[in-house]
Amino acid sequence: MKRGTLLLLWSLTLLWSFHSGRLDLLLRGVFHGLVGGTGLILLMLGVALLLKREKQNERWRLPWLLSGVMAALVLILPPSPSFSDLASNRPQGLPDPPELAFVLPPEQRSLTEWVRLLRSQPDPDLVAGNPVRISGFVWRQPEGPPLIARLTVRCCLADATPAGLAVEWPESFTPKTNQWLAIEGTMSVQTRSERRLPVVIPQNITLIARPERPLEP
């Protein structure tokens, strides 16, 4: 009886996370179906145990109670990760792209596609003057101005990898950590810390809501 109730609670947690879109903050979209399927399996197992009605005098054990409390907290408290903090605690080596998108016109490249292109291109001057249309969150840095960034994942936040671009922020605009922005501008090259680096020169900065699927493959 107790185990059946616990399985139903966890099945509700997984199915609600699948239906509500919470998984978009934690897991790559290709794995969402796996979570939903697991929720259905737990639902069937829980119903089967409740119908069986064995061990009516079975007591709640501490691990079961803790598991139930955890499931309830997941339902009550939606995830709200700090992407800037996650990015600061992850290495910056991007995974291989799912497909080559470097042939796209510059204004159609996403932020991560720009970062992959620039890392594969030894001479940043070749992209100077290219139009840029990107979106991402503000990633604070221990030293220097914040970057505009995205998190890429193979599976979930546990293997998240940051991709960031330097921005020449206008004096009239103060970027706030974790703020989501859409930037239109051009790519330039500047010397920073004795290195020539690609830098986005914004012509228009728009505050946007966090995308429904903020994690990129």
Side-chain angles (χ1 to χ4, degrees):
M1 187 73 172
K2 307 297 190 300
R3 287 178 294 177
T5 303
L6 189 59
L7 287 177
L8 287 180
L9 182 57
W10 272 110
S11 70
L12 177 62
T13 301
L14 295 181
L15 292 174
W16 174 247
S17 298
F18 174 79
H19 176 73
S20 65
R22 290 182 177 185
L23 294 179
D24 291 320
L25 298 176
L26 306 171
L27 192 67
R28 187 175 167 186
V30 70
F31 296 104
H32 290 188
L34 181 61
V35 175
T38 302
L40 289 175
I41 292 173
L42 292 180
L43 177 64
M44 291 185 289
L45 290 174
V47 171
L49 286 175
L50 289 177
L51 292 176
K52 197 172 182 181
R53 290 183 171 274
E54 290 185 355
K55 297 184 179 180
Q56 296 294 324
N57 60 345
E58 190 176 31
R59 296 182 178 179
W60 284 100
R61 298 178 181 178
L62 181 58
W64 297 0
L65 286 173
L66 293 177
S67 180
V69 170
M70 183 63 67
L73 288 176
V74 172
L75 281 174
I76 296 171
L77 302 175
S80 183
S82 169
F83 289 103
S84 179
D85 289 342
L86 285 167
S88 297
N89 289 281
R90 296 289 191 274
Q92 295 192 45
L94 283 177
D96 294 332
E99 59 183 8
L100 290 178
F102 302 154
V103 295
L104 290 173
E107 63 273 14
Q108 294 183 19
R109 295 176 189 144
S110 69
L111 189 151
T112 53
E113 288 166 349
W114 266 110
V115 173
R116 286 187 173 109
L117 174 63
L118 293 169
R119 290 183 181 178
S120 67
Q121 176 56 256
D123 186 2
D125 288 294
L126 294 177
V127 298
N130 283 186
V132 177
R133 292 180 181 174
I134 56 176
S135 64
F137 62 90
V138 177
W139 178 15
R140 69 172 180 269
Q141 300 294 293
E143 298 180 0
L147 308 179
I148 185 77
R150 284 277 196 161
L151 285 177
T152 64
V153 296
R154 292 185 177 91
C155 173
C156 58
L157 283 183
D159 62 23
T161 302
L165 288 174
V167 180
E168 185 67 30
W169 301 105
E171 293 184 2
S172 58
F173 181 81
T174 302
K176 298 180 181 179
T177 302
N178 287 319
Q179 198 173 41
W180 280 85
L181 305 173
I183 296 179
E184 296 183 18
T186 57
M187 188 66 71
S188 70
V189 181
Q190 297 181 2
T191 300
R192 295 186 177 184
S193 301
E194 300 182 353
R195 294 177 56 197
R196 290 184 60 75
L197 300 173
V199 179
V200 177
I201 306 297
Q203 297 171 346
N204 186 30
I205 300 177
T206 305
L207 179 64
I208 61 174
R210 183 180 61 197
E212 290 184 1
R213 295 193 172 184
L215 305 177
E216 295 190 342

